[in-house]
Amino acid sequence: VTIFREPPGGFSVHTHLAAPDSLGLFHKAVIMSGAYPFALPQPTLAEAEAANTAAMESDCPSPQTIECLREQPVGAILNAQTAAYPAGIVPPVDGHVLPTSVQAALTSGSYNQVPVMQGNTHDEWRLFVAEAEITTGTPLSAAAYRPTVEATLGGSAMADVAEAAHPVANYPSPSDPLGAFGTDLVFACTGRVSNRLQANAGATVYAYEFNDASAPAVLPGGDALSFPMGAGHTSGLQYL
């Protein structure tokens, strides 16, 4: 049995690697662009419960009941999910399914060691830059580069790193360095950390990069962008 997924399922594969109850249920794993939560803290069970309760407070005031939650339309649940997990759902360290964080499990070597193939697309973050341009109808300007990094990728300190590593002047448009920095920070570096931790634990790890710059656009309107999508996030799924 080989399990494989692409985000957010890529981190679900990581979770199965770290979950004791998944031992022996699979023999190999493929993780596609799925180490991004290494850039985020995994919440505790209490933190996750508090976030969920707060997100549903307007629809189901305290004390919340299962009957009220079941009466909510799908849209309300999805909006609450986005409010609770703006960067995407990350499984909590609940003490049972996950006794420790995934990164801690890989670091210690106490996880379900199976052969793993893990990688990313070359231009992961360009998908999210493209979504913003399509939503606003306006390409990113040079003046907006730093504020956008601050707002979406970690504040002033990360903006300093972005301006040093990927200065706007070195690229055809500000969207290109934003895509490059987001790819490095959220996907490529976290994927390499995961690969190295598993390799250090003695596991067999195969790394890949999907880099078809001419992959068909995965967004409606993607062909009309002010910058090339390249091998953006999810572009490898069409080849799977």
Side-chain angles (χ1 to χ4, degrees):
V1 175
T2 298
I3 59 174
F4 64 95
R5 282 292 303 275
E6 192 264 7
F11 197 67
S12 296
V13 176
H14 268 110
T15 302
H16 281 296
L17 291 176
D21 287 348
S22 295
L23 177 64
L25 299 181
F26 61 97
H27 309 90
K28 297 183 175 105
V30 180
I31 302 171
M32 305 172 69
S33 309
Y36 62 92
F38 280 22
L40 306 166
Q42 274 188 261
T44 64
L45 181 60
E47 290 169 340
E49 289 176 339
N52 297 341
T53 299
M56 289 301 299
E57 186 66 30
S58 61
D59 297 296
C60 293
S62 297
Q64 292 176 351
T65 65
I66 191 65
E67 290 78 15
C68 178
L69 294 171
R70 285 173 174 165
E71 290 173 356
Q72 300 309 307
V74 171
I77 300 295
L78 293 177
N79 289 337
Q81 174 179 295
T82 300
Y85 304 98
I89 294 176
V90 179
V93 180
D94 66 339
H96 174 65
V97 175
L98 283 178
T100 66
S101 71
V102 170
Q103 190 164 2
L106 298 189
T107 300
S108 69
S110 299
Y111 71 97
N112 305 322
Q113 291 190 21
V114 298
V116 167
M117 182 168 69
Q118 177 170 212
N120 299 283
T121 69
H122 184 269
D123 306 299
E124 298 270 12
W125 200 254
R126 288 194 187 196
L127 173 70
F128 307 103
V129 181
E131 286 179 338
E133 181 172 316
I134 290 171
T135 299
T136 63
T138 305
L140 184 72
S141 67
Y145 176 56
R146 182 182 177 91
T148 301
V149 173
E150 290 182 350
T152 60
L153 291 169
S156 179
M158 282 300 155
D160 291 341
V161 176
E163 289 183 328
H166 299 287
V168 171
N170 289 0
Y171 293 86
S173 79
S175 295
D176 294 302
L178 180 60
F181 183 64
T183 297
D184 289 349
L185 180 69
V186 179
F187 290 101
C189 290
T190 55
R192 292 183 69 181
V193 167
S194 175
N195 284 338
R196 286 172 173 171
L197 290 176
Q198 293 178 71
N200 289 342
T204 300
V205 183
Y206 302 89
Y208 77 87
E209 180 184 70
F210 179 83
N211 190 14
D212 181 357
S214 62
V218 295
L219 282 178
D223 293 329
L225 291 167
S226 64
F227 65 97
M229 272 286 294
H233 184 62
T234 76
S235 60
L237 290 178
Q238 303 174 85
Y239 298 73
L240 186 56

